[in-house]
Amino acid sequence: MSEECKNCLRKEDFLYNLLQTNKHMEERLSVLIGHVAKTQVSTWDNEYEIGQVKSMLIELETQNKYLYDHNEKLIERISALEKSAGLLADRKKLRKA
């Protein structure tokens, strides 16, 4: 076999190996893109869930504030009722005396 043919065969082998390497790189890149896509979807799902939790937290904080304010008003009313009940008891004691 001539030197020229041997060079051609070496170049063909080199090109074949290069194509195989490129094919493997494309396969790996495809797998990587798939993983990135799955990760992105997972990230979007997590961000959506975080948004839902934040929304629930805001709602619960609003309810808590309302209940706290309502509780304060009820305590004031109970105090007033207890005070008036105490005054009524004092009047009854005075009437009996």
Side-chain angles (χ1 to χ4, degrees), residues 8-36:
C8 285
L9 287 175
R10 274 190 238 123
K11 288 179 183 179
E12 281 182 16
D13 285 343
F14 175 76
L15 289 176
Y16 177 77
N17 289 337
L18 187 61
L19 288 173
Q20 290 295 72
T21 301
N22 283 345
K23 184 177 177 182
H24 291 296
M25 292 291 274
E26 287 176 359
E27 290 171 357
R28 290 178 185 154
L29 186 58
S30 176
V31 169
L32 180 61
I33 289 170
H35 286 299
V36 169

Side-chain angles (χ1 to χ4, degrees), residues 33-46:
I33 289 170
H35 286 299
V36 169
K38 286 179 186 176
T39 302
Q40 188 64 38
V41 168
S42 177
T43 300
W44 288 336
D45 288 345
N46 291 340

Side-chain angles (χ1 to χ4, degrees), residues 31-93:
V31 169
L32 180 61
I33 289 170
H35 286 299
V36 169
K38 286 179 186 176
T39 302
Q40 188 64 38
V41 168
S42 177
T43 300
W44 288 336
D45 288 345
N46 291 340
E47 287 174 355
Y48 175 77
E49 288 179 17
I50 288 171
Q52 293 293 99
V53 169
K54 284 181 180 179
S55 177
M56 289 170 31
L57 178 62
I58 291 170
E59 184 178 335
L60 289 172
E61 286 174 341
T62 302
Q63 288 177 358
N64 186 46
K65 183 180 180 333
Y66 169 78
L67 291 173
Y68 181 81
D69 291 345
H70 189 66
N71 187 44
E72 288 294 318
K73 289 177 185 175
L74 288 175
I75 289 172
E76 289 172 8
R77 288 175 64 190
I78 290 170
S79 177
L81 289 172
E82 287 173 342
K83 188 175 182 182
S84 67
L87 290 176
L88 287 176
D90 289 345
R91 285 184 189 167
K92 286 181 183 177
K93 285 179 186 176

